[in-house]
Amino acid sequence: AAIDRFGRDGYRATSVADIARDANVGGTVAYSYFPKKEALFLAAVDHDASGVIGEGFLSVVNDPELEDWQAQLIVTLIGAVERHPLARRLLAGLEPDVTARVLDIPALAEVRRVCADRLRSDQLTGEVRPDIDPVQIADGLVNIVLSVLMSAVQLGPAVAAERAPDVLAVIAAAIDPVAHPGA
């Protein structure tokens, strides 16, 4: 209920009583779990972002058979954001007081870890340059993907799709062993 209400109406226009009513519970029930409205909002943000990541990221990155996982990642995430109202609202810049907090959500820490693990694995098979730092590249990849998602939400998927080849070229140049022979 919190994800739907905050996603639709925003933090300032939503009350805990509104959410309780939507959830068909008493007006003070939420305070048994969350000390204040902000804590409920942040929990809703974390949960909705985790949904986007699980649906649009982990399914791609954890597929060892998928060779072009970086390109598929952007496509699946854009699709997933469409089904997650609060994450979409944040990426649209409609909650400026918490937009920067998105970088620190627990689910993104997991994304960085999984991505670094995939890069390490791809280094062992020769698909990724051996001289790069997987943790640093994973962090950069997450930041790039977030920027693409923000563009897709704010400017429309067509604009993001138009720019996607440039983004993918940057990513490939950073990790491709063919582009850096002898690395």
Side-chain angles (χ1 to χ4, degrees):
I3 290 168
D4 289 339
R5 180 62 81 138
F6 285 132
R8 183 180 63 239
D9 299 336
Y11 178 78
R12 292 179 194 255
T14 299
S15 70
V16 174
D18 292 333
I19 294 167
R21 198 170 24 262
D22 292 352
N24 294 318
V25 298
T28 60
V29 168
Y31 292 111
S32 298
Y33 301 95
F34 305 98
K36 54 188 179 176
K37 176 179 153 181
E38 180 183 16
L40 175 57
F41 178 74
L42 295 176
V45 166
D46 288 346
H47 188 75
D48 204 35
S50 290
V52 170
I53 289 165
E55 187 179 323
F57 178 82
L58 294 177
S59 63
V60 171
V61 126
N62 286 332
D63 183 352
E65 302 300 315
L66 191 60
E67 290 181 24
D68 196 14
W69 62 274
Q70 299 92 345
Q72 192 61 36
L73 177 64
I74 293 169
V75 172
T76 58
L77 281 169
I78 288 172
V81 165
E82 293 299 317
R83 295 180 290 280
H84 292 270
L86 187 51
R88 182 174 172 72
R89 182 175 185 82
L90 289 170
L91 291 168
L94 299 175
E95 296 292 342
D97 295 339
V98 296
T99 300
R101 187 199 178 278
V102 170
L103 295 173
D104 296 324
I105 63 171
L108 276 183
E110 177 66 6
V111 166
R112 287 179 181 96
R113 186 196 65 73
V114 168
C115 195
D117 289 348
R118 176 68 187 257
L119 289 167
R120 277 187 206 95
S121 173
D122 288 351
Q123 281 177 319
L124 294 174
T125 63
E127 296 171 59
V128 169
R129 292 174 37 196
D131 65 326
I132 65 166
D133 178 349
V135 173
Q136 186 179 32
I137 296 296
D139 191 42
L141 180 60
V142 167
N143 291 332
I144 289 169
V145 169
L146 278 173
S147 296
V148 170
L149 287 175
M150 290 174 119
S151 295
V153 169
Q154 294 177 20
L155 304 173
V159 173
E162 182 181 307
R163 303 285 187 237
D166 297 334
V167 171
L168 295 173
V170 168
I171 293 168
I175 66 172
D176 188 359
V178 175
H180 300 277

